[in-house]
Amino acid sequence: MSLTHPGANSDALRSGATRVAIKTDAQNIEWWRGAVIYQIYPRSFLDTNDDGIGDLNGVVEGLDHIASIGVDGVWLSPFFTSPMQDYGYDVADFCDVDPIFGALEDFDRIIEKAHSLGLRVIIDQVYSHTSDQHPWFVESRQSKTNSKADWYVWADPKADGAPPNNWQSVFGGGAWTWDSRRQQYYFHNFLTSQPDLNVHNEEVQNAILDVTRFWLDRGVDGFRLDALNFCMHDEKLRDNPPAQQDGRILTRPFDYQEHKFNQSHENIPAFLERIRAVTNEYDAIFTVAEVGGPTPLAEMKAFTADDKRLDSAYNFSFLYAEKISRNLVKEALGDWEGAPGEGWPSWAFSNHDAPRAVSRWAHEEDRRQAADLYALLLLCLRGNVFLFQGEELGLPQAHVPFESLKDPEAITNWPLTLGRDGARTPLPWRAEEKNAGFSDATPWLPVDPQHTTLAIDRQNADNASTLNAVRAWIAMRNNHAALRLGDLEFLDFEDTSLLAFLRRHENQTALCVFNLSETDCALQIEDFDQFNCVASANAEYKNALPSVISRLSGFVAIENR
């Protein structure tokens, strides 16, 4: 399938949203600080060889659409050699492309075209575990004395043959699997086919750093480090204590434990310093950690401290939240004040691991309106922004029937969780074409009919679409240093439905106000007479500030001194 850029005649493109060179900053501020980065899930982005699976050539063809939005870069989810038991997060070769996606030469074309469009390229790295088909594990499991015998986490059984401890897997069941070759158990935080690397081993660290250099030499601009706080374990193999229960319905044995010993090891930051030493050998590399768990803040701060570890980190505060509220935003952002030595946060409302935000947070009849509101809010937060593919279109969570599910977690926990497949369905390019222009073959996951009406070609032609709103708001963020780089101060109102904060940088202040509720709210703001509205969602707020802010709407006003 060949794709002509669908936004070639859009107002956003004519206004210069597509850049011809990677921008630099006169003040020597890192390119990534405050950046908006678009996450590509390659399997579902665009299929060019009609096998029903998106590929790297599809990424090349679709980069024009991404550049037209005005983002700073792209994050590519895994495309490495893999048996695809966990859809690429079970890596069998860290330094090659799986044939279903293409070849290394196709990846090189992504780098070349992205850079020509002014886009940086960030790729996933999985340093916690591999596939059981990785040559390292194939050798490791052969004996207790081979050269890679200690590259994974192996342990003898208890006297009665039971596993070494009570650790549980994220995807259900115990975290230990018996291997008859070695007469030992191996540890896996995720699927049984995803054995955990022994990252305490310096040889393993060196091998990982060789992988890092391989991709840096190939021209990547940064890394998103998957499941980073799972990459080291307690070497004493102590049992995890039970977690305090809060009355929730738990679908996984994993959630019954406090994960004190199978993750979040105190030696992880030292390993990150080794990664930083490698990335410092190259120019302008961005590193961001995924940090899961119920209390991620301390690890996020430790992983990004003092300009000697990673640049940024994000957690699941928004990704797993059942609703959006003023308190949630205040709690998530309030701990990042810009103190000396503090890292820089990143935020995502949706991604490949969570149901889409517009379906979690809004009633079905309000989703079109809510999509605009959430996009404007996300683009006003202090930190980096990750925009998941389809989020610029306001896509809701797709319906995937049980017989079509692919996600192992969704299958295991069905029907008590929405699972991840509904966020991973194909991107709709053209409303009138087969499978919304994604592929001429049957897609690996079905295209939801409700996505077809939100296709890129239709939204490009509609000046009032979510897509064109997102373009305008990203341009606003890029053109106002207060929104991209400024600090953040929350404002409190009696009406707790209203979320308001100030962003300040040098002589510029931005006032950001959002009504997250389903009713109109009175807005009493004093001492803001000099502010002019520069953007609004779902209502026409222009120039003077409104006295009433409509339901599910928001605005941004700017003052320059």
Side-chain angles (χ1 to χ4, degrees):
M1 176 181 294
S2 177
L3 176 72
T4 301
H5 171 44
N9 297 315
S10 71
D11 292 339
L13 191 56
R14 286 201 300 270
S15 69
T18 299
R19 295 161 296 187
V20 296
I22 293 179
K23 67 181 182 182
T24 57
D25 191 284
Q27 297 180 351
N28 201 32
I29 295 172
E30 302 97 329
W31 70 266
W32 50 262
R33 195 172 292 273
V36 180
I37 298 171
Y38 185 100
Q39 182 191 354
I40 299 173
Y41 193 70
R43 293 184 68 91
S44 297
F45 188 69
L46 182 65
D47 173 22
T48 61
N49 63 355
D50 291 329
D51 63 356
I53 296 173
D55 44 56
L56 296 189
N57 283 328
V59 174
V60 173
E61 293 198 21
L63 283 173
D64 293 295
H65 163 67
I66 296 172
S68 81
I69 302 171
V71 300
D72 299 273
V74 297
W75 152 27
L76 283 173
S77 290
F79 51 85
F80 316 109
T81 305
S82 168
M84 300 295 166
Q85 297 299 305
D86 192 21
Y87 294 95
Y89 286 95
D90 49 328
V91 180
D93 187 340
F94 286 111
C95 298
D96 204 356
V97 173
D98 195 278
I100 67 169
F101 295 123
L104 278 169
E105 292 76 14
D106 301 318
F107 178 80
D108 293 338
R109 291 175 58 228
I110 292 175
I111 294 288
E112 180 181 7
K113 183 169 182 179
H115 286 176
S116 75
L117 293 171
L119 298 170
R120 307 275 182 163
V121 179
I122 296 163
I123 65 172
D124 255 310
Q125 294 285 268
V126 187
Y127 296 157
S128 167
H129 54 269
T130 71
S131 164
D132 60 0
Q133 296 183 30
H134 196 292
W136 297 348
F137 187 72
V138 172
E139 181 175 351
S140 183
R141 76 191 316 179
Q142 297 306 314
S143 70
K144 298 178 183 179
T145 58
N146 66 74
S147 64
K148 292 183 174 55
D150 193 37
W151 279 40
Y152 292 83
V153 183
W154 295 96
D156 292 328
K158 291 182 178 179
D160 62 357
N165 59 31
N166 70 346
W167 297 349
Q168 296 292 310
S169 162
V170 171
F171 290 152
W176 295 94
T177 292
W178 177 254
D179 187 87
S180 60
R181 299 167 186 82
R182 283 190 47 144
Q183 294 290 293
Q184 286 184 307
Y185 285 94
Y186 67 85
F187 172 53
H188 50 89
N189 270 304
F190 299 96
L191 296 174
T192 58
S193 57
Q194 292 172 295
D196 269 52
L197 286 162
N198 179 15
V199 184
H200 291 289
N201 185 327
E202 187 173 352
E203 289 183 351
V204 173
Q205 292 190 17
N206 292 340
I208 288 171
L209 297 178
D210 286 343
V211 172
T212 305
R213 288 189 178 91
F214 175 87
W215 291 109
L216 290 170
D217 289 339
R218 218 153 189 111
V220 303
D221 302 292
F223 303 104
R224 178 257 189 189
L225 304 184
D226 178 71
L228 187 60
N229 56 347
F230 285 90
C231 79
M232 286 186 181
H233 65 290
D234 173 51
E235 292 182 286
K236 295 180 181 179
L237 303 182
R238 288 171 284 187
D239 280 352
N240 280 329
Q244 292 186 351
Q245 304 304 317
D246 57 7
R248 293 178 299 129
I249 296 176
L250 302 179
T251 60
R252 308 177 300 180
F254 181 83
D255 296 321
Y256 284 86
Q257 293 184 353
E258 178 186 344
H259 299 285
K260 187 175 182 179
F261 297 118
N262 67 309
Q263 65 184 77
S264 308
H265 196 278
E266 62 184 6
N267 289 349
I268 294 176
F271 173 50
L272 302 186
E273 293 180 14
R274 296 197 68 195
I275 295 175
R276 181 60 175 259
V278 171
T279 60
N280 282 347
E281 298 171 10
Y282 298 77
D283 181 49
I285 303 305
F286 171 58
T287 51
V288 57
E290 175 196 50
V291 182
T295 55
L297 181 64
E299 285 181 290
M300 294 174 72
K301 293 286 185 78
F303 290 176
T304 60
D306 299 326
D307 292 326
K308 61 182 182 180
R309 294 168 187 169
L310 306 181
D311 297 310
S312 187
Y314 77 90
N315 62 31
F316 289 79
S317 295
F318 296 115
L319 291 167
Y320 284 172
E322 294 182 359
K323 63 179 293 185
I324 185 73
S325 66
R326 179 174 74 173
N327 286 343
L328 174 63
V329 177
K330 290 182 69 173
E331 289 172 6
L333 275 77
D335 293 311
W336 297 89
E337 300 176 349
E342 182 180 89
W344 186 257
S346 291
W347 308 107
F349 285 176
S350 296
N351 74 6
H352 66 291
D353 274 334
R356 290 187 180 272
V358 72
S359 292
R360 282 184 283 120
W361 296 344
H363 298 301
E364 184 174 356
E365 63 271 18
D366 291 326
R367 285 174 185 168
R368 168 64 182 84
Q369 193 171 349
D372 286 7
L373 175 64
Y374 302 152
L376 182 59
L377 171 58
L378 179 62
L379 290 166
C380 288
L381 299 182
R382 177 183 178 269
N384 301 318
V385 170
F386 288 111
L387 194 70
F388 182 47
Q389 68 178 44
E391 199 168 3
E392 79 277 21
L393 307 175
L395 296 187
Q397 182 81 350
H399 171 67
V400 181
F402 178 78
E403 60 271 17
S404 298
L405 289 176
K406 301 294 193 297
D407 173 23
E409 184 176 19
I411 294 170
T412 299
N413 297 317
W414 188 87
L416 292 179
T417 63
L418 286 175
R420 301 177 296 180
D421 284 335
R424 298 177 175 185
T425 57
L427 191 65
W429 291 89
R430 293 190 179 89
E432 300 302 324
E433 292 190 4
K434 183 178 181 181
N435 298 316
F438 167 73
S439 176
D440 287 338
T442 301
W444 76 286
L445 283 173
V447 176
D448 193 315
Q450 65 181 331
H451 288 185
T452 302
T453 60
L454 298 172
I456 291 169
D457 65 338
R458 287 195 177 177
Q459 295 209 32
N460 270 318
D462 179 3
N463 289 332
S465 68
T466 297
L467 173 57
N468 280 315
V470 168
R471 284 180 172 133
W473 296 334
I474 290 176
M476 172 193 68
R477 180 181 173 97
N478 289 336
N479 291 330
H480 293 89
L483 291 172
R484 187 176 177 108
L485 301 171
D487 58 18
L488 186 147
E489 176 189 350
F490 286 101
L491 303 176
D492 286 325
F493 294 98
E494 290 184 9
D495 191 329
T496 58
S497 299
L498 290 177
L499 167 67
F501 50 83
L502 298 174
R503 302 287 312 278
R504 296 188 183 93
H505 183 74
E506 296 180 347
N507 296 322
Q508 186 177 84
T509 301
L511 170 66
C512 308
V513 181
F514 305 92
N515 181 358
L516 303 176
S517 76
E518 299 173 17
T519 59
D520 296 350
C521 295
L523 183 63
Q524 297 178 344
I525 299 182
E526 299 177 356
D527 302 323
F528 290 97
D529 294 341
Q530 302 304 311
F531 283 72
N532 289 316
C533 287
V534 297
S536 60
N538 304 323
E540 289 296 319
Y541 302 126
K542 296 182 178 178
N543 299 322
L545 303 188
S547 59
V548 174
I549 182 166
S550 303
R551 64 187 297 273
L552 296 175
S553 72
F555 68 85
V556 179
I558 298 290
E559 180 190 43
N560 294 301
R561 292 186 179 180

